[in-house]
Amino acid sequence: MDLLNGYRASLAEFTDRVAQVRPQQWSSPTPCPEWDVRTLVNHLVGEDRWTVPLFAGATVDDVGDRFTGDLLGADPVTAAADAAREAEAAVTAPGAMDRVVHLSFGDTAASEYAYQLTADHLIHAWDLAVALGVDPALDPQAVKVVADWFDVEENEYRGAGVIGPRIDLPDGADAQDRLLAAFGRDPGWAPD
């Protein structure tokens, strides 16, 4: 599976989980200690909203604070689906992977940013699934795309403090659990 197919799969994994949120679950805890379900979904909707102008060449200063605060409104499911659809169009447009995006930490190859987006959607799809108590199985090919990329990036991410400590797993853990552990997730996490 190539990067763009992995990206599409990660978006689908996430938006499919968002569509399963029941009204009483928006305030449920997630594996991200400071985030409930609504905050987690809002984070990814914000990321998707940022994706469009960044892939169009905008800088962080150009975008400003327009994606700050609640981006979900009264219909979070539709907000998430719309944001994902627009982000997917931007990332998969002809020539998009040849661009440079202007991120807060510097200019970055669009393909590298697409890997970051893929990983964030995929890992948070799992976070959302276990928070909701729905099937947490992720697309195995998308897991491989992210794992192959993250194998090189893990130490840098951990050093920057954006992921937690690696979780120790028993021998024979599957690819999904190994990826989750690399991102500091306990594959056995469940809400209290």
Side-chain angles (χ1 to χ4, degrees):
M1 176 180 275
D2 68 9
L3 170 57
L4 291 182
N5 286 332
Y7 173 71
R8 286 183 185 105
S10 73
L11 281 175
E13 293 280 6
F14 187 75
T15 56
D16 288 351
R17 273 29 178 248
V18 173
Q20 296 179 59
V21 180
R22 294 185 306 272
Q24 68 275 16
Q25 291 179 305
W26 288 106
S27 61
S28 296
T30 72
C32 306
E34 286 100 40
W35 290 356
D36 62 12
V37 167
R38 187 176 178 94
T39 306
L40 186 148
V41 172
N42 193 69
H43 163 71
L44 267 293
V45 169
E47 190 164 82
D48 289 339
R49 294 289 183 210
W50 272 93
T51 298
V52 175
L54 290 175
F55 266 85
T59 66
V60 171
D61 287 341
D62 292 337
V63 176
D65 63 0
R66 74 175 121 154
F67 302 126
T68 301
D70 178 30
L71 301 173
L72 303 182
D75 188 355
V77 174
T78 299
D82 289 347
R85 185 182 66 255
E86 292 168 10
E88 182 178 352
V91 172
T92 62
M97 289 299 104
D98 299 325
R99 299 178 188 154
V100 170
V101 291
H102 310 291
L103 303 178
S104 60
F105 51 83
D107 288 354
T108 304
S111 58
E112 174 61 25
Y113 185 42
Y115 275 113
Q116 295 170 17
L117 293 169
T118 302
D120 212 25
H121 283 83
L122 194 66
I123 298 301
H124 286 316
W126 179 85
D127 291 337
L128 187 53
V130 295
L132 300 177
V134 300
D135 184 3
L138 300 171
D139 180 287
Q141 293 301 314
V143 168
K144 182 173 180 2
V145 166
V146 173
D148 289 348
W149 165 78
F150 200 61
D151 188 51
V152 175
E153 303 294 330
E154 181 180 352
N155 289 335
E156 185 174 330
Y157 274 65
R158 188 155 290 109
V162 295
I163 59 172
R166 182 181 262 272
I167 303 296
D168 290 328
L169 296 175
D171 292 340
D174 67 19
Q176 176 174 311
D177 285 356
R178 289 192 310 272
L179 179 64
L180 294 168
F183 273 89
R185 301 298 198 275
D186 176 356
W189 186 91
D192 292 335

